[in-house]
Amino acid sequence: MKMIIGLAFAFWFFILWACKSLLSSDIPVTISAWDTIIFSFSYLVSTVVALIYVKFTHNGKMHIFLSIPTLLWGLSTAQVFTHQYHPYDTLMSVIGFIGSGVIMFFSIWKQRHARHGS
């Protein structure tokens, strides 16, 4: 069951990355403030739900499932800093990368803490 939930989270964060990529795929990039607000709220809620899952699940290993989406967010963030397409694109990429990174960090920390605390 934990594996299915982990895959579902990974798929959901991949979908959020794909939505952000679709929003910023126009040349020139035209992202509205409303698109950014909706994305940010969706990502914040998703991150909070994932953190709650990690907190209350014994040895869920969420970081294993989120490694690919976090890599995609990291590459996206590096790309927007390099090319400076649009401020909202940059904001969404940074939010995505930080959110995935926080979940991964907390998951790794909890797994190591549980292993050394037992």
Side-chain angles (χ1 to χ4, degrees), residues 65-80:
F65 298 104
L66 286 182
S67 60
I68 299 292
T70 303
L71 176 67
L72 292 172
W73 280 112
L75 292 172
S76 180
T77 302
Q79 183 180 14
V80 297

Side-chain angles (χ1 to χ4, degrees), residues 7-107:
L7 287 171
F9 272 115
F11 182 71
W12 177 248
F13 280 95
F14 175 78
I15 292 294
L16 288 172
W17 174 81
C19 288
K20 179 261 175 211
S21 295
L22 284 174
L23 282 173
S24 63
S25 66
D26 294 339
I27 302 295
V29 175
T30 54
I31 302 172
S32 70
W34 185 245
D35 290 335
T36 305
I37 291 168
I38 291 172
F39 169 83
S40 299
F41 181 73
S42 300
Y43 206 87
L44 177 66
V45 168
S46 300
T47 301
V48 168
V49 169
L51 286 171
I52 290 170
Y53 174 77
V54 169
K55 179 174 175 55
F56 291 110
T57 303
H58 176 68
N59 203 10
K61 298 181 182 178
M62 181 65 74
H63 57 279
I64 295 170
F65 298 104
L66 286 182
S67 60
I68 299 292
T70 303
L71 176 67
L72 292 172
W73 280 112
L75 292 172
S76 180
T77 302
Q79 183 180 14
V80 297
F81 280 134
T82 302
H83 299 290
Q84 299 176 353
Y85 292 125
H86 193 279
Y88 291 154
D89 185 30
T90 304
L91 179 64
M92 289 189 299
S93 292
V94 169
I95 288 171
F97 182 62
I98 290 173
S100 291
V102 165
I103 297 166
M104 285 193 63
F105 175 78
F106 188 61
S107 177

